[in-house]
Amino acid sequence: MAGRGDFFGQLWKEYAWSDSRYLTSDPFVLCMETVTAICWGPLSFCVALMITFQHPLRHPLQAMVCLGQIYGDILYYATSMFDHYYKGVTYCRPEAYYFWGYYFFMNFIWIVIPGYLLYHSVEASGRAFQALAKQSKSEQDNSYTKKRN
């Protein structure tokens, strides 16, 4: 991407000011971005369609995508911090704008929004299982009553 002169190549280079691993073909970044492009991106579109059509599998898939995003972001921060504190390697320019604006804030969004959606999916799944348990108990009670009569 870094060698491209189109819009996305320029965005890639601009973001690389906050994390130079994007220009050096860092193995972790390449793997993480590949998983995002192949798995989480298409699944996100699938979840968006499921939300639109109120599909019952929306919440399990949404939870899966959210966990993947949160996990990837935590690893992204952790690998950078590990290199900074244990190897003395810093990937960000010294200006606060690049660290706090690009590196921290732009990535933190990918923890906050999926965290919010994950919470709601877990809540909805819990309500569904609770309703199913209540319905099963009611059916068991009805069959017990019929057997007695």
Side-chain angles (χ1 to χ4, degrees), residues 2 9 33 38 49 51 55 58 60 63 66-67 82 84 86 95 105 119-120 122-124 131 134 144:
E33 292 297 345
I38 292 173
L49 282 172
I51 291 169
H55 195 279
R58 170 237 176 140
C66 290
L67 278 173
F82 179 85
H84 178 73
Y86 289 99
E95 295 91 353
F105 180 72
Y119 174 79
H120 284 284
V122 168
E123 215 175 41
K134 187 176 181 180
Y144 178 74

Side-chain angles (χ1 to χ4, degrees), residues 22-77:
Y22 278 83
L23 287 179
T24 61
S25 298
D26 179 75
F28 171 74
V29 171
L30 287 175
C31 291
M32 179 194 59
E33 292 297 345
T34 301
V35 168
T36 299
I38 292 173
C39 297
W40 308 134
L43 273 175
S44 294
F45 284 115
C46 185
V47 169
L49 282 172
M50 289 180 169
I51 291 169
T52 303
F53 295 111
Q54 297 179 351
H55 195 279
L57 289 178
R58 170 237 176 140
H59 287 290
L61 284 178
Q62 180 172 293
M64 200 166 72
V65 171
C66 290
L67 278 173
Q69 287 291 341
I70 292 168
Y71 181 70
D73 217 25
I74 289 170
L75 284 178
Y76 177 73
Y77 281 138

Side-chain angles (χ1 to χ4, degrees), residues 104-130:
F104 181 79
F105 180 72
M106 295 299 255
N107 287 293
F108 194 67
I109 290 170
W110 294 104
I111 291 176
V112 172
I113 294 172
Y116 174 79
L117 294 172
L118 177 62
Y119 174 79
H120 284 284
S121 287
V122 168
E123 215 175 41
S125 297
R127 284 192 308 271
F129 280 110
Q130 189 176 33

